[in-house]
Amino acid sequence: MVSYRTPLSRARGLGSAKHGVGHWIGERVGAIALVPLTLWGVFAVLRLAAGDYAFAAAWIAQPLNATLMALLLGVSFWHMHSGLRVIVEDYIHQTLNKTALLVLNLFVCVLAGALSIFSILKVAFTVGAS
Amino acid sequence: MSDAAKAGRERPMSPHLSIWRWHITMASSIAHRVSGVALYVGALIGAGWAISLAAGPDSYAAYKALLGSPLGLLVMFGLTLSTFYHLGNGIRHLVWDAGHGLDVKSANASAAFVFAFAVVASLAVWAIAFMIGAV
């Protein structure tokens, strides 16, 4: 069968995977979101460090606090997954080790993110709400 | 991959740490990575806080006591420094990404500013923490 594609057309797309820019932009969008969230987080840690369990539970039951805390932790885990991924890709060049570390990084971030957000919602919906 | 590439011919490498004279933009770049890795651990400590809160009053009190111990306070102070450094230098990176402040003079000045900001902001937060009885 005769191919009607030009040599240039066949060569195109054989270079980069063309999705690297998505990682780069994702890391920066997370960074922008984390600027206000981190400043709020410092304020939150100061409040929580001065209080006990009952205070923390009542505090996290307020919708704004629960939402911002879940976002702070969620966006942090998203951003640190991107960051550590770049570090692994920069320093680890052995394919098997690199793949293992990238998968471990992803699993740790997703597990810690899911656990912390579920924990916040559990306290907000049960203990703190009563 | 071709056989020639598999043979592992020595590729030229860019100069590493030992080649360069230390300068402030280099220190600020390394500190950004180091503080980022420290905050990775810090976020896991934050996740531990949420999990201990969900586990009940006893585990929450134990977790708070751990963070309030001398070692815990040292870690928290390191995390405060890392937070403000990574925050300030992250904004510096965002400004660069927008195409501003990339000349050597601006980059040196902003690096010094971010280091100073991290120290001053951390000391201020800990002063507030002592005043409100959070420590």
Side-chain angles (χ1 to χ4, degrees):
Chain A
M1 186 182 159
V2 181
S3 170
Y4 291 102
R5 298 181 69 190
T6 63
L8 178 62
S9 158
R10 274 199 300 275
R12 271 189 188 140
L14 294 176
S16 76
K18 296 203 162 63
H19 56 71
V21 71
H23 302 155
W24 191 88
I25 291 174
E27 198 176 358
R28 266 114 200 115
V29 172
I32 293 167
L34 280 170
V35 172
L37 283 172
T38 304
L39 291 172
W40 175 85
V42 171
F43 167 75
V45 170
L46 280 173
R47 294 289 309 275
L48 290 162
D52 60 359
Y53 173 81
F55 174 81
W59 185 88
I60 209 74
Q62 292 177 26
L64 186 66
N65 293 337
T67 305
L68 288 179
M69 189 59 94
L71 281 176
L72 172 62
L73 286 164
V75 180
S76 292
F77 283 113
W78 160 267
H79 182 76
M80 63 200 237
H81 170 256
S82 314
L84 200 70
R85 179 186 179 152
V86 173
I87 293 179
V88 170
E89 288 170 347
D90 278 357
Y91 299 135
I92 315 291
H93 299 304
Q94 213 196 343
T95 307
L96 191 61
N97 287 349
K98 182 165 90 174
T99 308
L101 284 172
L102 288 176
V103 170
L104 182 69
N105 179 34
L106 178 67
F107 284 7
V108 166
C109 288
V110 172
L111 179 67
L115 269 173
S116 51
I117 290 173
F118 183 84
S119 299
I120 287 167
L121 294 180
K122 186 207 164 203
V123 176
F125 287 143
T126 57
V127 190
S130 59
Chain B
M1 195 185 276
S2 69
D3 287 343
K6 266 188 194 160
R9 193 153 51 96
E10 283 293 313
R11 305 294 304 157
M13 288 178 71
S14 55
H16 263 284
L17 287 179
S18 53
I19 297 266
W20 299 99
R21 173 177 59 79
W22 273 86
H23 48 99
I24 191 164
T25 45
M26 172 179 168
S28 74
S29 172
I30 292 169
H32 197 66
R33 285 217 155 162
V34 172
S35 60
V37 173
L39 290 170
Y40 197 104
V41 179
L44 294 178
I45 292 174
W49 169 84
I51 293 164
S52 79
L53 182 65
D58 293 341
S59 53
Y60 188 73
Y63 199 78
K64 262 199 88 189
L66 190 67
L67 290 181
S69 68
L71 182 65
L73 290 176
L74 185 70
V75 169
M76 289 305 279
F77 186 75
L79 288 175
T80 314
L81 269 177
S82 299
T83 299
F84 283 118
Y85 180 77
H86 207 82
L87 178 68
N89 207 52
I91 293 171
R92 181 166 166 251
H93 268 279
L94 290 172
V95 172
W96 281 340
D97 292 338
H100 301 290
L102 285 159
D103 59 294
V104 175
K105 215 176 160 187
S106 307
N108 284 340
S110 58
F113 177 81
V114 168
F115 277 121
F117 164 75
V119 172
V120 171
S122 300
L123 292 177
V125 162
W126 278 74
I128 295 170
F130 275 107
M131 276 193 284
I132 65 170
V135 180

